[in-house]
């Protein structure tokens, strides 16, 4: 199985307002979730097999708050789903891609790692496997 788009994550400062706008624009319900380990509140909208995730910082600091402060709201990362994350990391490292840390536990039983944005023309990219 090849890679598939799992989600696109968009950093927003006002989650209530953004979730309402997006769910109306896309015509789907937004499901809310808090991911304490990442310090974010999330609104998730399913579009076919993929999702749009609005992410908003819980507090004043953390990487998402810093991202918004520096670059404003907008696309934070895209996530690609793979059946075998370890093999995919090895394959991509063979292509010269640089990773930000090793494979680790993500939300909802997933395993994730991130590709450095410099390796993909400025796009922070998550690789994920498992979970729901
Ligand atoms: Co993500």
């Amino acid at each position: 199985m090849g890679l598939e788009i799992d989600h696109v994550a968009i950093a927003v400062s006002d989650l209530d307002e953004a979730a309402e706008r997006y769910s109306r624009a896309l015509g789907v319900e937004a499901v809310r979730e808090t991911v304490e380990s990442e310090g974010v509140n999330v609104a998730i909208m399913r579009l076919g097999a993929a999702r749009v995730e609005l992410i908003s910082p819980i507090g004043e600091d953390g990487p998402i708050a810093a991202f918004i402060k520096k670059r404003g709201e907008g696309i934070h990362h895209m996530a690609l789903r793979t059946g075998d994350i370890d093999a995919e990391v090895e394959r991509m490292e063979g292509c010269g891609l640089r990773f930000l840390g090793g494979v680790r536990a993500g939300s909802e039983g997933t395993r994730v790692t991130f590709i450095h944005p410099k390796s993909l023309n400025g796009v922070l990219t998550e690789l994920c496997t498992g979970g729901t």
Side-chain angles (χ1 to χ4, degrees):
M1 188 185 80
L3 292 167
E4 292 176 5
I5 302 262
D6 185 79
H7 61 272
V8 173
I10 300 163
V12 302
S13 38
D14 184 335
L15 190 61
D16 288 334
E17 190 259 1
E20 194 180 321
R21 172 181 293 119
Y22 267 78
S23 65
R24 207 181 314 128
L26 304 180
V28 292
E29 290 280 302
V31 176
R32 300 288 281 265
E33 191 183 313
T34 297
V35 185
E36 299 277 0
S37 60
E38 320 255 348
V40 291
N41 289 311
V42 190
I44 301 163
M45 287 150 284
R46 285 201 168 275
L47 293 179
R51 290 168 291 141
V52 172
E53 293 188 359
L54 305 176
I55 53 178
S56 179
I58 292 171
E60 295 282 292
D61 37 45
I64 304 303
F67 175 91
I68 292 171
K69 192 175 268 181
K70 190 172 165 202
R71 301 176 50 176
E73 296 182 302
I75 291 188
H76 180 262
H77 67 271
M78 71 166 170
L80 303 175
R81 174 164 289 274
T82 172
D84 186 341
I85 198 166
D86 300 303
E88 201 60 51
V89 167
E90 197 179 323
R91 189 188 68 78
M92 286 176 164
E93 281 178 337
C95 302
L97 271 63
R98 205 146 65 73
F99 282 81
L100 297 164
V103 177
R104 50 203 182 264
S107 63
E108 296 183 316
T110 56
R111 293 173 68 228
V112 303
T113 186
F114 285 86
I115 300 163
H116 196 289
K118 286 218 166 102
S119 292
L120 287 175
N121 302 72
V123 180
L124 176 63
T125 303
E126 175 184 342
L127 265 189
C128 64
T129 194
T132 46

